Amino acid sequence: HTVFNMADSGRERDYERPGGGTGVPLDQRDGGPSASALSPGDRGTVPREHANYETSGLLAKESNTFNGVVLKWHEPLDAKLPEERWRLYVFKDGHPLEDPFHVHRQSAYLFGRDRRVADIPVDHPSCSSQHAVLQFRLTEKREDGVKTQRVRPYIMDLGSTNCTYLNSEKVEPQRYVELFERDVIKFGYSSREYVLLHDKSATK
């Protein structure tokens, strides 16, 4: 097991299904290339995005293509570069495998086996070609009775065959789930654990 404690279960986790806005395709994002139980919470106070019917069919498909691959998601309209310097630490059997992935340089990071589009490749055979996405979003929610607006990390499973797990609980597909510092993410049947921390996190 990792040496990190799980995220504070007292906090309310934000859940939200993505809206229909087209957002920004992966190939137009800013930045360069990169790396306990789930407690139900409120969906937050951010208004839902409404479907955009201006593009459809082939045109919409081509607008969300990168390296010849059609992506399984569009970045939402509230996508934004994070203010905190987030990192993903990778563990296997409780031991760190490599240097952490610095995941503050883009507004989204795609996990999957298809290296033509994956920002963070996951090569285990149980993982899908486009498995999940780490998405940073500028959202508003009430914390300790006060409305706060800031850039928060979210995970969304992209309808993968063998699921995404957050703190050992299966993530519902096609739904943004807020992440907290020290959350542990796993993909499919891979034993690798991805622990979300930032540069000011205590590691004890």
Side-chain angles (χ1 to χ4, degrees):
H1 300 290
T2 64
V3 297
F4 300 103
N5 295 322
M6 296 300 100
D8 183 359
S9 60
R11 290 179 288 181
E12 291 189 342
R13 202 181 292 276
D14 187 26
Y15 302 83
E16 185 178 344
R17 293 190 183 279
T22 56
V24 182
L26 182 68
D27 55 338
Q28 296 178 12
R29 298 193 304 227
D30 294 332
S34 64
S36 43
L38 197 66
S39 56
D42 295 333
R43 290 175 180 263
T45 58
V46 182
R48 286 188 177 277
E49 300 160 7
H50 297 287
N52 184 339
Y53 299 103
E54 294 180 0
T55 61
S56 60
L58 184 60
L59 181 59
K61 185 175 180 180
E62 289 179 349
S63 69
N64 201 39
T65 300
F66 182 63
N67 283 344
V69 179
V70 178
L71 300 178
K72 291 188 175 182
W73 107 108
H74 289 275
E75 285 209 70
L77 297 178
D78 57 11
K80 193 173 178 64
L81 287 172
E83 298 157 2
E84 294 174 289
R85 301 175 76 87
W86 290 101
R87 298 169 180 172
L88 273 178
Y89 290 79
V90 187
F91 291 84
K92 184 173 183 179
D93 299 326
H95 302 289
L97 291 183
E98 52 200 48
D99 291 335
F101 292 103
H102 295 264
V103 290
H104 62 275
R105 297 166 180 162
Q106 300 176 181
S107 57
Y109 291 82
L110 178 63
F111 298 86
R113 288 195 297 121
D114 191 341
R115 290 175 175 264
R116 293 173 296 174
V117 294
D119 297 294
I120 301 178
V122 286
D123 295 327
H124 195 274
S126 68
C127 296
S128 298
S129 58
Q130 297 180 53
H131 197 101
V133 63
L134 170 65
Q135 178 73 63
F136 291 98
R137 304 169 58 209
L138 179 63
T139 59
E140 183 179 86
K141 62 181 289 190
R142 188 173 294 277
E143 296 177 318
D144 298 325
V146 179
K147 278 187 179 180
T148 61
Q149 187 179 64
R150 62 185 179 88
V151 180
R152 296 177 170 90
Y154 290 78
I155 191 75
M156 182 167 66
D157 180 88
L158 298 175
S160 65
T161 302
N162 294 307
C163 307
T164 299
Y165 295 87
L166 177 59
N167 300 332
S168 301
E169 294 288 332
K170 187 183 297 184
V171 173
E172 183 180 343
Q174 307 299 340
R175 186 182 188 186
Y176 284 118
V177 180
E178 184 181 1
L179 296 175
F180 295 142
E181 179 188 3
R182 301 178 185 278
D183 273 344
V184 180
I185 306 165
K186 295 182 70 175
F187 303 105
Y189 303 132
S190 173
S191 60
R192 294 191 181 202
E193 297 178 324
Y194 296 77
V195 180
L196 183 67
L197 297 169
H198 54 68
D199 59 340
K200 295 181 176 60
S201 298
T203 56
K204 293 184 180 180

